Amino acid sequence: MQIFKDAIGTCVGYRITNGKDNGKKDDDAEDDIPSVNPPTEVDEDGPIPPPSNNKDDPIADAMDIAMAMGFSLDEIQELLNQQNDFAELVDLMQEDRNFLQAEMPSEPNGEFVLMYKNGNIPPERQDAIEKFKTKNVKANVKSKGTKLSLADTEGCGERLSRKLEQKGYLHVSFSIDGDGIEVTAKKPRNHDKGTDKGKIANARAAEILKVPADDGDLDKFSLTLVEYDDEDPAIPFHTYGGRKISGNGSQCTTAFSVVSSTGRTGVATAAHCTGMNRYNAVSPEADYSTYFQGEHKGSFGDMEWHATPHLDVPEYYATPTTRWPVRSVANSISKGQWVCVYSRMQGIRRCSTVYNVSVSVQYKDLPRMFQLVAMSTNTVIPGDSGGPWSYYDKAFGIVSGYGWIDGAPRDFWSRVSFLSPALGVEVRTQ
């Protein structure tokens, strides 16, 4: 079951959690970013940090994962190297019209899986697979034929969502796992209370949608409904990356420095962070204004960018006291892939694995946002919206929010590789 809750922000971590961390609600105090390890004084913005540094630590995330999972550093580094090479393979395959999804093992000695409609992998991709196997002799790679491609599945989810919206259902959202589709919606105001609540049987879902029970769109489909009076299933929260940006009495977090096709630089954050225009500068600089350039809420997720009057450095805060360089950008995402997040509001960095690679969310009073990524756990809290998802020096995403999928809260984020088609900017790299 998925219940989409709040759009939020970023995270930093030295251990993995299996649930949501408690944190203070979002408010516009004027403190610096929070600190971590050991805890320091806390105010409404989270922990007050000691002076920052830019220590470049390429194995810090790997050490966190190894300690949390109970494997040796060597085992985890080998897994992460395999994941990185597999991601390059998926970069190519996601261009194929029959491609559905890729899955990576989250632990050593697991399977790398490639899913294609009807198992139709092009010959040139078979060659790329063999090259991956040759380089990663210990990696176990398998292919899986599916009924649908990613484009087919997303189209199906959109059609079913529109049918529910036309019948008065609210905040309709869907997530994709393989060729399975899970849809969540709030019931109309006039719907009988106590009926059609929770996970709906397929036969009843067909009646609600007014389609035949054997309709092809209902294959591997599940529907979950919540009452009209219940909490909204989708609610948005309110230059280096990973710093506070504020305005209109609330705050968010910046993700990464960006550059436009004309060479203008700035910083990216989440598009639902409306009215943010004040950047929390690094001491001894004073805070300064940012200048909104554009936003995107739709096909490519939840993102916007601001120009600044200062140098926009290709570094981001990975912890409250440490900046790391940005040297590359993730162009594809696979289920099971390890990615880490910095929660400025809590002063923590945490790592988790990708749970779903395509989630569509409709937050209240906002357009539908597509192609968000869902994680296995939930770390971020209000005020973290817009912050950086990364692995060491590779930029992955921008915090959007969190919600419930399959009975557990999970973080959602937008892919930074979509900044270019959405806004005409790219993450700055060294």
Side-chain angles (χ1 to χ4, degrees):
M1 169 175 143
Q2 63 180 346
I3 303 288
F4 294 97
K5 292 203 180 271
D6 303 325
I8 40 203
T10 108
C11 301
V12 186
Y14 284 98
R15 59 192 183 279
I16 297 169
T17 57
N18 292 317
K20 185 176 182 301
D21 292 307
N22 292 323
K24 292 184 177 295
K25 290 289 182 185
D26 171 37
D27 182 59
D28 190 19
E30 292 297 330
D31 296 10
D32 206 355
I33 58 168
S35 64
V36 67
N37 233 8
T40 57
E41 182 182 355
V42 174
D43 75 350
E44 292 300 319
D45 275 335
I48 299 172
S52 64
N53 63 71
N54 59 349
K55 182 181 179 182
D56 194 349
D57 190 349
I59 66 169
D61 284 342
M63 289 178 65
D64 292 344
I65 295 168
M67 291 175 63
M69 298 296 291
F71 290 96
S72 71
L73 179 59
D74 286 345
E75 289 175 309
I76 291 299
Q77 285 187 304
E78 181 178 39
L79 169 67
L80 295 171
N81 288 337
Q82 291 172 349
Q83 287 198 348
N84 189 60
D85 290 340
F86 191 71
E88 293 180 3
L89 180 62
V90 178
D91 288 352
L92 301 173
M93 294 186 162
Q94 65 183 358
E95 300 172 2
D96 300 336
R97 62 186 181 88
N98 286 323
F99 179 74
L100 173 61
Q101 180 178 306
E103 293 186 8
M104 300 185 185
S106 58
E107 298 182 0
N109 305 316
E111 291 182 338
F112 290 84
V113 183
L114 294 165
M115 301 182 190
Y116 269 77
K117 182 178 180 179
N118 299 323
N120 292 329
I121 301 178
E124 63 271 24
R125 304 304 187 220
Q126 295 284 8
D127 292 342
I129 293 170
E130 291 306 313
K131 288 180 181 178
F132 171 80
K133 290 179 178 178
T134 300
K135 183 177 179 181
N136 298 275
V137 293
K138 294 183 180 179
N140 182 10
V141 183
K142 64 180 291 188
S143 59
K144 178 181 177 182
T146 59
K147 182 178 179 180
L148 304 174
S149 68
L150 180 59
D152 294 336
T153 310
E154 289 179 334
C156 179
E158 193 167 352
R159 286 192 296 275
L160 294 169
S161 296
R162 281 201 303 267
K163 286 180 183 292
L164 288 167
E165 289 167 346
Q166 290 166 359
K167 299 179 185 309
Y169 289 82
L170 307 172
H171 312 315
V172 183
S173 302
F174 67 86
S175 66
I176 292 170
D177 186 8
D179 52 3
I181 305 168
E182 185 176 350
V183 179
T184 298
K186 175 171 277 197
K187 290 158 55 175
R189 181 190 294 271
N190 59 357
H191 198 290
D192 292 339
K193 195 167 185 177
T195 62
D196 294 336
K197 183 177 180 180
K199 192 164 186 178
I200 307 302
N202 284 356
R204 176 56 183 152
E207 292 176 1
I208 292 171
L209 291 162
K210 297 190 183 305
V211 298
D214 60 354
D215 188 291
D217 280 354
L218 299 185
D219 188 34
K220 295 190 176 180
F221 163 81
S222 68
L223 174 64
T224 299
L225 298 177
V226 299
E227 298 286 4
Y228 178 84
D229 294 332
D230 288 348
E231 181 181 18
D232 286 343
I235 308 170
F237 290 159
H238 287 293
T239 14
Y240 299 100
R243 298 291 293 187
K244 185 177 85 170
I245 187 169
S246 59
N248 287 342
S250 59
Q251 63 175 294
C252 282
T253 302
T254 58
F256 302 100
S257 296
V258 296
V259 59
S260 73
S261 58
T262 63
R264 189 167 194 181
T265 62
V267 67
T269 187
H272 73 265
C273 295
T274 304
M276 304 290 143
N277 59 11
R278 193 73 178 164
Y279 179 79
N280 176 212
V282 180
S283 179
E285 280 191 293
D287 293 356
Y288 51 84
S289 296
T290 66
Y291 304 97
F292 174 80
Q293 299 297 301
E295 69 174 23
H296 175 86
K297 302 170 184 170
S299 300
F300 299 108
D302 175 14
M303 56 185 70
E304 70 180 33
W305 80 285
H306 297 240
T308 81
H310 287 235
L311 179 65
D312 301 305
V313 181
E315 297 178 2
Y316 73 100
Y317 275 84
T319 77
T321 62
T322 305
R323 293 194 308 271
W324 283 349
V326 180
R327 297 192 177 101
S328 63
V329 173
N331 292 311
S332 64
I333 310 296
S334 299
K335 184 172 182 175
Q337 191 166 10
W338 281 99
V339 192
C340 306
V341 65
Y342 167 49
S343 173
R344 180 182 63 81
M345 296 300 294
Q346 300 172 90
I348 56 173
R349 182 174 182 80
R350 303 251 169 105
C351 301
S352 184
T353 54
V354 173
Y355 190 79
N356 279 353
V357 297
S358 183
V359 176
S360 169
V361 176
Q362 185 165 26
Y363 300 127
K364 184 178 180 180
D365 300 326
L366 291 172
R368 179 177 299 283
M369 301 179 192
F370 295 90
Q371 300 191 84
L372 298 178
V373 176
M375 300 303 288
S376 296
T377 58
N378 169 221
T379 301
V380 295
I381 65 172
D384 284 332
S385 284
W389 278 91
S390 62
Y391 181 83
Y392 175 46
D393 59 358
K394 178 174 283 190
F396 275 78
I398 300 171
V399 173
S400 179
Y402 81 96
W404 290 77
I405 301 178
D406 292 337
R410 308 185 190 280
D411 292 323
F412 300 148
W413 47 272
S414 304
R415 307 181 190 204
V416 292
S417 60
F418 290 163
L419 281 166
S420 180
L423 296 171
V425 298
E426 297 179 347
V427 172
R428 294 198 71 196
T429 59
Q430 293 187 3

